[in-house]
Amino acid sequence: MLYAAAIAADEPSRIGFIVSKGVGNAVVRNLVKRRLREAGAASLREYGTGFAIVVRALPASASASWDQLLADYNAALESTMTRLAGRPRAAANGSAGTTQKGTPRA
């Protein structure tokens, strides 16, 4: 699963990873994280600024090959970015209607 949000256009993009114990033991989780980090680094070349991306590894990622994991990541990223293209970008100050903690403003 991949989630993305637009942030201020001049801010560098950020990528975070969630790999729970459901994916496997520590060795498997770290392998999945390393692979996802590499895929994320490649995507930063295209989306270097203006996005916050969170990738949640599902248990099936433990048995996926590198090529399969990369293809799934790229497909999810492209789909998410296409959906974001139709939405307005975040305000220049990065607030976009939320507080610094991410909670909605009243």
Side-chain angles (χ1 to χ4, degrees), residues 44-101:
L44 283 179
R45 291 183 196 103
E46 185 175 350
Y47 302 106
T49 59
F51 294 99
I53 301 168
V54 176
V55 180
R56 181 172 183 212
L58 299 176
S61 61
S63 60
S65 69
W66 162 246
D67 294 330
Q68 188 178 17
L69 191 64
L70 183 62
D72 288 348
Y73 173 86
N74 287 333
L77 181 65
E78 196 59 39
S79 170
T80 302
M81 291 303 180
T82 301
R83 276 188 268 126
L84 274 179
R87 296 182 183 174
R89 294 287 296 240
N93 64 4
S95 64
T98 60
T99 64
Q100 277 189 316
K101 300 274 186 192

